[in-house]
Amino acid sequence: TFPHVINTKGHLMIEVDARGLSCPEPVILTMNAMKQNGSQPLKVTVSNTVARDNVCSLAKKRKRTATAQRVGDDYVIDIA
């Protein structure tokens, strides 16, 4: 669940693993990662549709774009 930095195709991205957590925890972790890392892209992984929708809503409120896709049993949300 601890946000960490990954290198994707030469670009740094902050990764938040919020799988297994119930709201509001995924939203809080994402919000903290946004505060700590400014406009850096984020990759947030959640395990339910409520968390997916709430994290996407947070991104929209912060004037960021969010793209969610199903990956196995989880949802991966890319926030730019």
Side-chain angles (χ1 to χ4, degrees):
T1 60
F2 187 78
H4 62 279
V5 178
I6 59 172
N7 192 331
T8 306
K9 298 177 186 169
H11 301 286
L12 295 180
M13 178 179 278
I14 307 304
E15 186 172 45
V16 178
D17 184 353
R19 289 177 289 186
L21 300 178
S22 298
C23 278
E25 290 176 284
V27 173
I28 292 169
L29 288 173
T30 303
M31 189 168 40
N32 289 341
M34 287 178 167
K35 286 179 184 175
Q36 293 172 2
N37 299 287
S39 61
Q40 194 81 302
L42 299 175
K43 177 181 176 182
V44 183
T45 306
V46 298
S47 50
N48 62 72
T49 56
V50 173
R52 177 201 64 198
D53 294 346
N54 289 341
V55 168
C56 288
S57 185
L58 169 67
K60 185 177 180 181
K61 287 178 185 172
R62 297 286 174 102
K63 308 278 190 237
R64 312 257 314 251
T65 59
T67 306
Q69 32 182 343
R70 184 85 189 233
V71 178
D73 292 334
D74 301 319
Y75 296 93
V76 176
I77 306 155
D78 290 312
I79 299 174

